[in-house]
Amino acid sequence: MDRTPLDDDVAAAGLVPYPAAFAARYRAAGLWSGQTLPAELVAAAETHAEQTALITPEGSWTYRRLLDAARQFAAGLPEKTSLRPGDAVMFQMGNVAETVVAYLGCLLAGMRPVCTLPQHGVREISVLARHVGARGLILQADFGRGHLPDNARSLLADGIVEDVVVARGAAFASAVGYDEVFARGAGAAPQALPYHRCGPQQVAVFQLSGGTTGLPKVAPRLHVEYAYNSRAWAGKLDWNPGTVVLYPLPIMHNAGVSLALQPALLSGATLVLAPSADSGTLLELIEATRPQVMPLVPPAVAIRLLEDPRSKDADLSCLKDFIIGGQKLAPEIAERLRDELGISVRQKFGMAEGMFLLTPAEASEQVRHHTVGEPLSPADEIRILIPGAEDEVPDGDVGELCVRGPYTIRGYYRAPQHNLHAFTADGFYRTGDLARRHVIDGLTCYSIEGRIKDVINRGVEKIHADEVEDLMMRHPAVSNAALVAMPDPVLGERGCAYVVLEPGSQPLTVRTLGAFLLDQGLAKYKLPERVELTADLPLTNVGKVSKKALREDIESKLLRDVPPPRS
Ligand code: AMP
């Protein structure tokens, strides 16, 4: 039989393994099951066969129907394409049922979904596909303005991918239709599906972390730890076949997969996939499906709900776990949710690399409104370190949040040099977030106090400044450029570009710079939303661009721009 990537050993596949002693400890504690992620998902689906697994605008799916569809897709995929077990498959799919079927189908086919987003441009997909060695792409033809098939044609023409599967639209020459894959897999024997051959410590799924210039940061999520991550989340929130989970963000993002899709499917719960996070859609879905849980509500979505007059008349009493996360929450928003909508807020912190923190439901408001709570797993370990050093800050001081545990990666995929700085010598991941440890009512919990990484958190979508800066520097009129966060009352932050022009160049605007960056293949959500032209960029005393000075500059300009209150 041909050797496939499934047979690769850990080192050859560019993985940093969990040290044997840790793996043994996690297994002995009953956290790691020893099974693969698809094996756990299949077992749960068989147990809950007649329950409703999934609700989308098109209809609802029982576990039996969903599992049958995923098996059929898994069996058809290697028949209709050249994709084989172990292959990585890029996704550009929105919140539709086909995404869930294709994701599960890839896992059952022993393939590795790469959780790229439909918002990603051709350049981003190319860089990531090369990095993980992906040969396949599954796309949603009717997503957005219907541009994904055109993007896929150019990826095929450039030899970036070899196989494209088109869902929800006509397949073009050299691509294959989702329905054709599905039809081809009809009648195949489930026992023959290759996921049985995956090893529990092999990569199940690739999640994304950093930008896509330079070396991309890809989080390789392993079968055993990713399954545990999802099971632990469902367990912490007591999900069961009566639980209805409403999820409004992109389902293929790590948060979607590990806070909603997988935990729901592992616990027999019902997942309602919202096609968008606008307040009207959410209010309708809350009325129609009566979810008890929204496992990730960005502060911006909470603010829009508060501002929508229809919220006051809606019956929101079903919502028991309204969990805000992804971004710093202003305590006033939590108070307004309590006072105006009767919603009791919980908070969570999480990331593609693993570690989740969550405030206990019964904790005081001091904990729920002002901290992100405690780690999800009893085996999670947290250290608050002096940035760049291995020493802990004095207890109660702010330092870098560094984490290790049974579902936190030990290294980025194929990034040995980067891993030297991103992890401590003893395997703690340096999150780049600043945090403080508190003890409140006897509970040890953490608050997020800022960040040292150069990232803009735009309504929980992350924009890596260096990625946008590298592309801005390609513009012939740009002599120097920096991207910084500017505060925004709803999204939290937006990107502001400071640009030094080449002498004699035409000034750049948000529109002209944006058009250039889109042309470079940058996703739209990463475009700068304000451009400040400047003679030079301020420097720190070690000669680096002072982002702090730029942030202060834009903050003061925004304050100046605010019209004075009318008397
Ligand atoms: P991602 O990997 O895209 O999920 O992003 C993870 C990052 O989002 C973290 O490292 C933080 O910078 C940020 N983040 C997530 N949750 C929170 C939160 N509750 N408060 C503040 N920042 C958060």
Side-chain angles (χ1 to χ4, degrees), residues 314-472:
D315 176 5
L316 305 177
S317 59
C318 55
L319 290 171
K320 301 288 177 249
D321 282 320
F322 189 87
I323 305 174
I324 297 210
Q327 212 172 15
K328 183 100 178 152
L329 172 70
E332 310 79 75
I333 300 299
E335 286 158 20
R336 283 188 60 199
L337 285 162
R338 176 197 63 201
D339 298 342
E340 296 173 31
L341 302 182
I343 289 175
S344 172
V345 161
R346 297 176 76 171
Q347 283 198 65
K348 81 154 279 277
F349 169 94
M351 55 201 186
E353 290 81 356
M355 180 63 89
F356 288 163
L357 291 105
L358 175 69
T359 56
E362 67 287 356
S364 65
E365 285 195 348
Q366 181 61 18
V367 172
R368 287 185 295 103
H369 291 191
H370 297 269
T371 83
V372 293
E374 56 177 353
L376 174 62
S377 168
D380 281 328
E381 301 170 79
I382 293 189
R383 285 190 191 153
I384 307 290
L385 299 185
I386 297 168
E390 304 254 334
D391 306 313
E392 296 204 46
V393 299
D395 212 17
D397 278 11
V398 171
E400 185 175 10
L401 177 70
C402 297
V403 298
R404 182 170 79 175
Y407 59 94
T408 296
I409 61 167
R410 288 296 186 135
Y412 288 109
Y413 193 61
R414 293 182 175 154
Q417 282 309 313
H418 185 71
N419 287 339
L420 289 177
H421 308 289
F423 294 81
T424 64
D426 51 2
F428 279 77
Y429 169 59
R430 296 181 186 276
T431 64
D433 293 300
L434 292 170
R436 192 196 298 277
R437 182 182 289 125
H438 308 257
V439 179
I440 303 174
D441 307 330
L443 178 83
T444 301
C445 51
Y446 298 83
S447 59
I448 304 300
E449 303 289 343
R451 74 183 86 99
I452 44 181
K453 57 190 168 190
D454 199 3
V455 171
I456 292 130
N457 191 335
R458 182 190 189 276
V460 319
E461 289 293 2
K462 312 301 176 313
I463 305 168
H464 292 260
D466 59 350
E467 174 172 33
V468 183
E469 287 162 0
D470 280 1
L471 296 178
M472 288 197 288

